[in-house]
Amino acid sequence: MTNGQAEHPSAIRAVGLVKTYRGSTGEIEAVRGVDLEVRSGEVFGFLGPNGAGKSTTVRMLTTLMTITAGSAHVAGVDVAADPDGARHKIGVALQEAGLDPRQTGRELLTLQARLFGMSSSEAAARAEELLELVELTDAGDRRIKGYSGGMKRRLDLASALVHRPDVLFLDEPTTGLDPASRLTVWAEVRRINQLGTTVFLTTQYLEEADQLCDRIAIIDQGRIVREGTPSALKDDLARRRGDGTTPTLDDVFLDATGRTRVQVDGDVKEIQA
Amino acid sequence: MNHSLTLGLRAMRETLRTPDSLVPTLLIPLFFLVVNIGQAGRIFPSDDTDFLNGQNYAAFQLPSSLLLAASFGGAALYLVEEIEGGYFDKLRATPIPRMSIVLGRLYAEFVKSVGITALMIAISLALGVRIESGVAGFVLLVVMVSIWAMVFSGFMQLIALKTRSAAATQAGGLVFFPLLFLTPNFVPRNLLTRPMEVAATLNPVTYVMEACRSLILDGFDATALGKGAVVIAAAGALMLGLSVRLINRYD
Ligand SMILES: Nc1ncnc2c1ncn2[C@@H]1O[C@H](COP(=O)(O)OP(=O)(O)OP(=O)(O)O)[C@@H](O)[C@H]1O
Ligand SMILES: [Mg+2]
C-alpha cells in the first residue's frame, strides 16, 4: 500500500457514506452519513434493527452497489475508484446465501477460484481445502439443491474465502441456523480471524456480537448511534443509568435504537439521546 | 474472454443438467413445421409452385421453425433466476469484467442452438428437404441461426437485467414474438397482402429468414445473404452495446 495508511493500518475506512435508493415511490435514504473505522485484524460487529441499513452498507463496501455520497476504502483500496482492486482483497457472504443449485459444492468453489484468476489445478486444490475447512468434503460432489440451510451457509462462507481475502464481510451469517450450526460458524469465524483476516459481520443476535466481536457499531435508520467495544458500551450505559444494575448488550441495543425515537404521525423522527 | 469461456462452460453444464428445458425448444417448432406442412402442403405442390424451386413446402417452412427454435431465450431465464436467487451478486463480487457474465451465457446459447438447429435440419432432411447450397450452405445456415439465437437471447437478457424479475422476462419475450410472424413465413413477400408486405419489409427478422431460405431453396444468393448478415450484425452490435451499458451500471 502506497497511500500513507501504513502507520494506521485500517482494514475498512468509510467517511460520510450515503445511499439513496430511487424507487417508484420516491427516494429512500437507506444510509445517511456513516463513518466507520475498522482496524486490521479485528472482528467488527454491525448491529441494527430490520431496515436500519446494514446490508446496504455492506453492499457499498463490497463494490456491489454504487455509493451515493462519501467514500470507502477497504484494505487501503478505494472501492469506488478501483473496484476490481478491492474485489481481490474482499470476501463477501451476503444475507441471502446466493448459490447456484445446479452445481455441486466443489464446482461452485472451483468456478469462484477460477474467476479470481487461479489455474484449474490451483482452483481444484483450493476447493478441496475449503470443503475440508467447512466440513463439506463428503457433500462436495452433490448438487447444492439438496443441501440444508446450514450447509448452504457454510458453502457460502467457503466461497467468500477462495482468494484468501484480507477483509471478510458476513451479512447475518447465522440467521436461520440451529444452535449447533451457529456455534460451528462462530468457530470458523474465529479460526479465519486468527489466520489474520479482518471480519466485518452484521447480526441480529446480541449474544453473537458479545461473543465474537472486538468492537461493534449500532446503526439505526441509516445513522451510527453507538460505537465501541461491547464492554465499553455496557459500562457507558451503566454509568448513565446510575442505578447499580448491570446492563446487557440487549439493553445497550434497546437504549440506542428504542428510546431515541418517538412515533409522530406515523413518521419516524430522530431525537438525540 | 477467458472468464467468459469459464462461465460459458458452466452455463452449458447447467443446460445439460436440465434437459427438460430443451424439450419445448425442440418440440414446439417441430410441431409448427409439421402442422403447417400438413395444412398448406396441398395448396403449394412442389411441381406447380414457382417459389419452391421444385422442393416440397417443408423446405419453405423450415427457416421459420429454425428461427422460432432460436427465439426461446433460455439464457435469459437462467440469468434472471440467478439474479433473483443472489448468485449473480456472487459473480459480481469477483474481479472479472461484468460483461463476461453476459457473454458466458451467450456462448452457451450459441452451442445449444448449433445442436438444436442441426438436429432440426436433420429431421427435415428426412422429410425430403434438400439444402440447395450443399454442405457449406448447411454449415452457414446453422451458424447464422445460432448467431441469431445469441442476439435474440441477448435482448432477452437485457430485459432480465433491467427488470430482475422472471415474470417480466417471460412477458418481455412475448414482445418480440410478433416479429417472428410479421414475416414472409407462409409465402414469399411479393405474395403477401399489401399491409403485411409493408410490415414484413420493415421487420428486420424478414431478412434473416430470407437469407436462411435462400440457402435452402436457391444456393448461395449474395444479396439475400448480405442483407441477412447486415441485420444480424446490426442487431448484435446494438444488443452488445446496450448490454455493456446496462451491466456496467447494474446497481
Ligand atoms: N433495492 C432497494 N430498493 C429500494 N429500497 C431498498 C432496497 N434495498 C433496501 N432498501 C431499503 O433500504 C433500507 C435499508 O435496508 P437494508 O437491507 O440495508 O437494511 P438491513 O439493516 O440490512 O435490514 P435487515 O436486518 O432486515 O436485513 C430499508 O428501508 C429498505 O426497505
Ligand atoms: Mg440486511
Side-chain angles (χ1 to χ4, degrees):
Chain A
M1 268 158 273
T2 53
N3 53 5
Q5 298 197 352
E7 315 125 51
H8 294 290
S10 70
I12 303 170
R13 167 180 293 163
V15 182
L17 270 193
V18 172
K19 180 69 192 185
T20 311
Y21 289 112
R22 274 176 202 86
S24 46
T25 52
E27 295 196 342
I28 301 167
E29 268 211 306
V31 174
R32 319 176 181 203
V34 160
D35 299 319
L36 285 169
E37 181 87 44
V38 177
R39 284 173 223 125
S40 192
E42 268 187 325
V43 178
F44 189 86
F46 201 44
L47 282 62
N50 290 129
K54 302 182 293 298
S55 298
T56 303
T57 305
V58 168
R59 285 174 160 273
M60 285 193 283
L61 292 174
T62 54
T63 76
L64 293 173
M65 194 172 257
T66 55
I67 296 171
T68 308
S71 71
H73 287 76
V74 177
V77 182
D78 185 324
V79 297
D82 181 12
D84 277 342
R87 285 170 190 136
H88 277 289
K89 299 182 180 269
I90 292 174
V92 57
L94 293 171
Q95 191 168 349
E96 334 67 38
L99 300 167
D100 172 9
R102 296 188 190 91
Q103 293 186 84
T104 67
R106 189 187 303 279
E107 284 167 348
L108 184 126
L109 293 175
T110 310
L111 175 65
Q112 199 73 4
R114 294 282 282 143
L115 298 180
F116 273 101
M118 288 182 210
S119 71
S120 47
S121 59
E122 281 171 336
R126 185 65 181 147
E128 183 64 46
E129 212 170 275
L130 287 168
L131 286 172
E132 230 158 272
L133 176 78
V134 296
E135 294 164 20
L136 285 175
T137 310
D138 291 341
D141 293 312
R142 296 206 326 247
R143 305 258 175 99
I144 294 163
K145 197 175 181 167
Y147 284 18
S148 73
M151 290 162 83
K152 284 183 185 158
R153 275 280 169 205
R154 270 146 51 211
L155 181 64
D156 196 28
L157 179 61
S159 82
L161 295 171
V162 285
H163 54 300
R164 301 185 172 82
D166 293 345
V167 184
L168 178 64
F169 289 85
L170 303 173
D171 196 357
E172 303 201 15
T174 61
T175 299
L177 297 190
D178 68 44
S181 306
R182 179 167 303 154
L183 289 178
T184 317
V185 170
W186 287 6
E188 270 151 21
V189 169
R190 285 200 188 95
R191 211 178 321 153
I192 292 160
N193 177 244
Q194 272 155 18
L195 295 172
T197 308
T198 306
V199 180
F200 181 100
L201 69 90
T202 79
T203 180
Q204 302 280 1
Y205 303 106
L206 286 306
E207 193 206 346
E208 183 163 298
D210 222 353
Q211 291 278 327
L212 276 180
C213 300
D214 301 313
R215 282 194 313 132
I216 64 168
I218 301 176
I219 184 173
D220 189 23
Q221 294 183 52
R223 288 195 183 86
I224 303 276
V225 290
R226 292 287 184 283
E227 189 172 351
T229 63
S231 56
L233 292 175
K234 283 183 265 189
D235 290 350
D236 172 62
L237 181 59
R239 214 172 318 113
R240 277 191 292 120
R241 277 187 182 169
D243 59 2
T245 57
T246 320
T248 63
L249 205 51
D250 278 25
D251 297 326
V252 173
F253 184 88
L254 289 174
D255 173 67
T257 61
R259 293 189 208 157
T260 56
R261 283 180 287 159
V262 285
Q263 297 285 132
V264 182
D265 291 336
D267 200 1
V268 183
K269 293 252 167 76
E270 184 104 345
I271 295 176
Q272 286 312 112
Chain B
M1 193 69 185
N2 202 353
H3 295 310
S4 311
L5 284 180
T6 308
L7 288 167
L9 288 172
R10 173 230 157 200
M12 282 165 57
R13 193 163 64 205
E14 179 178 67
T15 306
L16 292 174
R17 285 180 185 174
T18 44
D20 300 2
S21 69
L22 293 179
V23 173
T25 316
L26 196 57
L27 287 192
I28 293 175
L30 279 177
F31 171 81
F32 275 112
L33 184 65
V34 171
V35 167
N36 289 343
I37 298 167
Q39 293 186 347
R42 269 181 53 194
I43 312 174
F44 303 114
S46 36
D47 46 10
D48 199 26
T49 311
D50 266 0
F51 64 80
L52 290 180
N53 275 3
Q55 293 220 44
N56 69 29
Y57 189 59
F60 187 85
Q61 272 287 306
L62 180 58
S64 324
S65 294
L66 296 180
L67 292 181
L68 178 61
S71 308
F72 277 77
L77 298 180
Y78 286 118
L79 176 67
V80 78
E81 187 184 322
E82 200 159 281
I83 291 174
E84 285 186 331
Y87 187 62
F88 186 68
D89 286 328
K90 191 170 285 298
L91 297 178
R92 288 201 308 133
T94 65
I96 57 170
R98 316 284 81 180
M99 195 55 189
S100 352
I101 302 174
V102 167
L103 289 178
R105 293 211 164 275
L106 292 184
Y107 293 167
E109 191 71 18
F110 180 80
V111 174
K112 184 177 104 180
S113 177
V114 165
I116 287 184
T117 308
L119 184 59
M120 287 188 52
I121 296 176
I123 292 172
S124 53
L125 291 181
L127 294 175
V129 173
R130 279 173 297 108
I131 309 290
E132 194 60 36
S133 53
V135 176
F138 165 80
V139 172
L140 185 57
L141 181 58
V142 171
V143 169
M144 201 157 64
V145 171
S146 301
I147 295 179
W148 182 252
M150 277 172 94
V151 173
F152 186 87
S153 62
F155 278 109
M156 293 271 291
Q157 292 201 79
L158 284 173
I159 304 178
L161 286 169
K162 189 84 194 165
T163 64
R164 305 178 193 188
S165 128
T169 304
Q170 259 162 345
L174 294 178
V175 172
F176 292 121
F177 235 63
L179 290 180
L180 268 177
F181 295 99
L182 292 174
T183 50
N185 59 326
F186 279 104
V187 289
R189 236 190 304 162
N190 56 3
L191 297 181
L192 292 171
T193 61
R194 185 70 188 144
M196 277 297 136
E197 190 189 339
V198 172
T201 303
L202 293 174
N203 179 2
V205 181
T206 294
Y207 302 97
V208 182
M209 188 176 285
E210 288 179 349
C212 293
R213 189 169 285 148
S214 73
L215 286 170
I216 300 170
L217 294 179
D218 308 326
F220 290 99
D221 172 347
T223 314
L225 291 175
K227 285 181 184 168
V230 167
V231 165
I232 292 174
L238 179 67
M239 178 276 288
L240 289 175
L242 291 174
S243 298
V244 169
R245 249 176 74 113
L246 201 53
I247 198 155
N248 286 339
R249 290 177 184 189
Y250 186 96
D251 200 16

